[in-house]
Amino acid sequence: MAETLEFNDIFQEVKGSMNDGRLRLSRQGIIFKNSKTGKVDNIQAGELTEGIWRRVALGHGLKLLTKNGHVYKYDGFRESEFEKLSDFFKTHYRLELMEKDLCVKGWNWGTVKFGGQLLSFDIGDQPVFEIPLSNVSQCTTGKNEVTLEFHQNDDAEVSLMEVRFYVPPTQEDGVDPVEAFAQNVLSKADVIQATGDAICIFRELQCLTPRGRYDIRIYPTFLHLHGKTFDYKIPYTTVLRLFLLPHKDQRQMFFVISLDPPIKQGQTRYHFLILLFSKDEDISLTLNMNEEEVEKRFEGRLTKNMSGSLYEMVSRVMKALVNRKITVPGNFQGHSGAQCITCSYKASSGLLYPLERGFIYVHKPPVHIRFDEIAFVNFARGTTTTRSFDFEIETKQGTQYTFSSIEREEYGKLFDFVNAKKLNIKNRGLKEGMNPSYDDYADSDEDQHDAYLERMKEEGKIREENANDSSDDSGEETDESFNPGEEEDDVAEEFDSNASASSSSNEGDSDREEKKRKQLKRAKMAKDRKSRKKSSEGKKGKDPNAPKRPMSAYMLWLNASREKIKSDHPGISITDLSKKAGEIWKGMSKEKKEEWDRKAEDARREYEKAMKEYEGGRGESSKRDKSKKKKKVKAKMEKKSTPSRGSSSKSSSRQLSESFKSKEFVSSDESSSGENKSKKKRRRSEDSEEEELASTPPSSEDSASGSDE
């Protein structure tokens, strides 16, 4: 008989939702690990009282009952696995795994049985349905009627929200069956009622998610967040993990509470509750319990009177009530000595903390990734600059997280950490011919060689060499690509006196056409370059004499208060300073703001006055410039309108001669004029390029036409 049995893709039913995970049965007990949250349920073998095998929607299921009344349901088994499980239960747990199917008659009249955490509606001996009483959020009674309301299930598209039971009256005196039914439900239901006094209260704590300042009231079974707008009640059973993380500035602390299921506000779900504390804040705390009760309940973890840093008191109280360990950063230290890395995730800047068993990113949106759910990590080059890189994490479920804009100096520290934790690195195989092998990662001895770092160094050297070469060249180069030997070959073909004349006429024509095409291309590029220069010269720059725009009330206040904020918060960065200033301005009273509004209004009036004076002087100068231009244009027009007599006689004789020309003369003359025009165009393009291109000698017809003229 096998010592252990393992099943993958098993679903655990918890509060109406099906959680995927892995189930392991051993001699000591049964362990189920949730794939989504990493939460582990451990059932000791001695606690099991009953095991039931039955057919369910997802195949076959296993229902387990324990001595303390808890019920565990696991679905997703195959029918063939019954014998194996039955033998295992007999051998190791000394339990008979019973087969008990659900009733499918469709009747709505039966009996209700309360067993542990379950309400079972039975017809005869067969159950029709079962309701976990921890799902019940409210129970109300009416005449012969009990109504159960349920918590909303966020993982399901459709949720059951209400069930009503009709309870017939009985003849027994002194016992109301409706009240008895309601009391049985309420004794096991997850109904949060703030009855009695809180153990302690923390006032005005700064909360990042959900954002705002909240009073936190600590009750024996739940946590109550009371804000100006919203209230949240968080049962301690929904707390998964606690984190205490130092801020990079070493003056603040994050206290993170991981929740499953999350707290809800409308359509928003908060899976993490993040509190921000200053290390300088101290508090003296007195619990609302006598010393005997404190000792009996908390067994020395808390005392009636405590004092210390505020973050220490909150974390200590939460640890005692939730009964979970607090996770802190491990031995990782970044380039600056901090235990975190500054990066960006989804366009928001935050801090990434490498922990002993995972990564956590705070704060917007918070992300916690466990090592056991990571498929591989990837070090990628930054998209915007080479001074940073991206750190990508892909989980076994296919979800990808990209933490970008990490400083290049953090690369070595982060790589060593990932390497020490034996996580698969996607681009590590680049040093072995671009074929990464993930299987041999744990046994690799070449920890000192880093292919990605070497590649980045080589690319950096190439970029530096290119930058030096470009700086040595003249700045008047064209934008066309440089093709070695192409221009030299063209010049040799055009001017080489030793060029062989034995080539065919077709080859010569094609060469000429190519030359013409290249010349036209160069002329066009030179023309575009000139037009760009003119347009850049023609752009009007900002007049330095123009008056400056006035500042807003906020900017005037910020300039006056910047040094004070810096002195109150030494070492604060520019972005944090602007955020802090925005918060101070937002919380400022109207009377104080009105003072700066008046100053801004005075500055605006002075600006308008200065602009009127500036525009008035500018208008007069522009009128003078326009009148000068008109005079120049008029003078030019007068010169053109008074030509010499010789030129007029020449033009008249030319008109007469053109009217009596023969067809042959006209055709030859037109062709010569066309060639002269093309020559003029070619000369213009040559002048614009500032290159000496030899033109072909004129033909005999051109010279004859020139002599006739």
Side-chain angles (χ1 to χ4, degrees), residues 338-449:
Q339 293 179 298
C340 57
I341 295 170
T342 304
C343 62
S344 297
Y345 176 64
K346 290 189 175 179
S348 295
S349 181
L351 299 171
L352 179 67
Y353 290 84
L355 308 173
E356 285 301 312
R357 294 186 180 180
F359 294 97
I360 187 168
Y361 172 84
V362 289
H363 81 287
K364 193 175 180 182
V367 177
H368 178 235
I369 309 165
R370 306 184 315 277
F371 287 158
D372 58 7
E373 63 177 334
I374 294 176
F376 57 80
V377 300
N378 183 26
F379 293 88
R381 186 169 59 186
T383 54
T384 56
T385 176
T386 56
R387 293 196 59 81
S388 64
F389 68 95
D390 296 351
F391 182 56
E392 299 170 354
I393 299 174
E394 186 162 330
T395 64
K396 291 172 184 175
Q397 285 77 28
T399 309
Q400 188 167 351
Y401 302 91
T402 302
F403 303 98
S404 57
S405 303
I406 303 175
E407 293 179 1
R408 191 169 57 184
E409 289 79 8
E410 303 283 3
Y411 176 80
K413 299 280 187 181
L414 185 58
F415 183 87
D416 291 342
F417 175 82
V418 170
N419 202 18
K421 296 300 178 184
K422 297 184 179 180
L423 298 176
N424 292 339
I425 302 176
K426 186 177 181 182
N427 53 359
R428 187 187 174 97
L430 292 171
K431 64 175 183 286
E432 295 160 3
M434 302 295 285
N435 291 319
S437 67
Y438 309 124
D439 298 333
D440 300 331
Y441 174 77
D443 299 328
S444 176
D445 294 325
E446 299 182 47
D447 294 340
Q448 300 302 320
H449 181 69

Side-chain angles (χ1 to χ4, degrees), residues 19-21 37 56 63 166 182 246-247 280 287 323-324 373 390 455 464 466 550 588 682 708:
N19 297 324
D20 182 20
T37 62
V56 292
K63 176 185 170 185
Y166 172 75
H247 197 280
D280 301 332
L287 301 183
N323 200 19
R324 292 192 180 275
E373 63 177 334
D390 296 351
R455 191 178 67 183
E464 286 176 6
N466 292 340
M588 197 182 289
R682 202 176 297 146
D708 290 336

Side-chain angles (χ1 to χ4, degrees), residues 62-75:
L62 191 63
K63 176 185 170 185
L64 303 174
L65 284 79
T66 61
K67 291 178 181 178
N68 55 11
H70 288 292
V71 178
Y72 299 90
K73 294 181 182 178
Y74 303 103
D75 297 350

